[in-house]
Amino acid sequence: MRAYQVIAYDKIPALVETNRPTPGNGEILLEIAACGLNFGDLLMAKGQYQEKPPLPFTLGMEVAGTVRELGPGAEGPAPGTRVLIGGGSGGLAEYGTFPAEKALPIPDSMSFTDAAAFQVAYGTSHVGLDYRARLQPGETLLVLGAAGGVGMTAIEIGKLMGATVIACARGKEKLEICKQAGADHLVDSETDDIREVVKAVGGADVVYDPVGGEQFKAAMRACNPEARILVVGFASGDIPQIPANHLLVKNLNIMGYYWGGYNAFKPQVLRDSMQTLLGWYDDGKLKPHVSAALPLEQAGDAYELLRSRKSTGKVVVTTGLG
């Protein structure tokens, strides 16, 4: 089978021929149809992510496909079931083995491409806004990096939860996409003063920040008293240092938030969230935005869309199977 693998951290990942894996205890063999790409994959390829699989390894954090075989002790889903899985790695291949407990059946209405674009982005936003930040109807949500994969889902979910949403993104084209996703107010991070625009519409009660850097600092200054700031990531490459006196004066709450970390200590939070989200999708309330779907042989080009920030929403790689 073919797989897009990291051979060494100082080398560009490559498409290789390798053996089809055999499922171990509690695992399933998945025939992979599609894999969603994430910014974390870029860090993982350099050995800079929170998790470091042993080399060589196959990239790809979230997959969708069909169960083909159950390993010893695996209780399902049954062979032939269409599922999505947040596997951590292993998704950019034609086949992969994953823990059976992580596989969730997908609705008949959901395509493999949508399923591969769904779990990390929507899961990150839903658990972050609902379970961590406790976003309430009528509050104002500021989304940084709003045209990216997780940013667009934060807009959608924020609106479903009854918030007023301010979307911050770079350039008119990306902001138009944010508007189509439901944003009430728009901030151009290239030309606008984030603090001034946000304060002008009443300030932020919750900030969703996958960017960091100067945008984090501006957003914090635009917060209302008792606001909650979700630290989701640092796509800017700049990890901000937080002045504790500002937290004191405004009674601010800054929350570190790593969605994948819940697999280790509260996996049921993720499963409950995903069941809610899949129900919303089946009801037509969520519409994944996939800006590009490329075949496996163009996986390098797909990652370049992320690296160069030319994509909006999600980038998906398809195998031609399923």
Side-chain angles (χ1 to χ4, degrees):
M1 70 169 197
R2 298 179 300 163
Y4 189 70
Q5 291 193 337
V6 176
I7 309 300
Y9 292 132
D10 60 349
K11 294 184 179 180
I12 298 173
L15 191 64
V16 302
E17 290 284 339
T18 187
N19 294 325
R20 184 184 299 185
T22 300
N25 289 331
E27 292 184 334
I28 60 170
L29 174 67
L30 187 71
E31 180 184 81
I32 297 170
C35 177
L37 305 191
N38 295 277
F39 186 78
D41 293 320
L42 299 177
L43 299 177
M44 190 176 287
K46 297 178 181 179
Q48 298 173 352
Y49 195 60
Q50 294 97 321
E51 300 170 11
K52 292 185 179 180
L55 294 168
F57 67 89
T58 301
L59 285 168
M61 293 183 178
E62 55 183 332
V63 298
T66 305
V67 178
R68 290 304 179 203
E69 185 180 340
L70 300 181
E75 297 181 356
T81 306
R82 301 167 71 248
V83 300
L84 56 74
I85 300 173
S89 61
L92 280 175
E94 293 174 320
Y95 291 86
T97 56
F98 305 93
E101 62 186 17
K102 289 188 177 182
L104 290 174
I106 60 176
D108 292 340
S109 61
M110 179 176 269
S111 69
F112 283 129
T113 298
D114 275 1
F118 196 80
Q119 189 166 14
V120 172
Y122 280 105
T124 297
S125 293
H126 182 251
V127 173
L129 295 176
D130 182 59
Y131 182 79
R132 285 291 279 151
R134 307 292 184 185
L135 179 67
Q136 300 298 308
E139 290 190 315
T140 297
L141 168 67
L142 169 61
V143 180
L144 304 180
V150 294
M152 291 195 67
T153 61
I155 294 173
E156 283 187 88
I157 290 171
K159 292 300 296 180
L160 278 174
M161 293 178 68
T164 296
V165 177
I166 307 170
C168 180
R170 183 179 301 168
K172 293 181 179 179
E173 183 177 344
K174 290 186 175 182
L175 286 172
E176 179 58 33
I177 293 171
C178 295
K179 183 178 179 180
Q180 293 172 9
D184 299 287
H185 305 282
L186 306 174
V187 185
D188 191 329
S189 60
E190 280 189 321
T191 59
D192 292 336
D193 184 312
I194 295 173
R195 178 178 179 271
E196 286 187 3
V197 175
V198 174
K199 293 292 284 184
V201 296
D205 300 305
V206 173
V207 176
Y208 185 91
D209 180 19
V211 177
E214 292 300 318
Q215 291 192 33
F216 172 92
K217 297 175 185 178
M220 186 170 68
R221 295 175 67 206
C223 281
N224 294 324
E226 295 191 328
R228 289 89 73 201
I229 302 176
L230 274 175
V231 178
V232 182
F234 312 104
S236 67
D238 180 358
I239 300 175
Q241 301 303 302
I242 300 167
N245 60 314
H246 289 199
L247 309 185
L248 183 151
V249 171
K250 280 193 172 182
N251 290 289
L252 298 181
N253 296 281
I254 296 184
M255 303 175 178
Y257 172 52
Y258 171 38
W259 177 79
Y262 282 92
N263 274 314
F265 64 94
K266 280 189 177 179
Q268 195 60 42
V269 169
L270 302 187
R271 294 185 70 85
D272 290 346
S273 167
M274 195 51 51
Q275 293 293 357
T276 296
L277 291 167
L278 288 172
W280 284 351
Y281 178 94
D282 208 23
D283 291 341
K285 295 178 180 178
L286 298 176
K287 297 179 181 179
H289 179 81
V290 178
S291 62
L294 282 70
L296 185 57
E297 55 268 24
Q298 292 181 249
D301 296 331
Y303 273 117
E304 184 56 32
L305 290 174
L306 285 188
R307 189 179 293 107
S308 64
R309 291 175 168 73
K310 293 180 179 178
S311 62
T312 56
K314 291 289 287 190
V315 176
V316 172
V317 170
T318 59
T319 66
L321 303 178

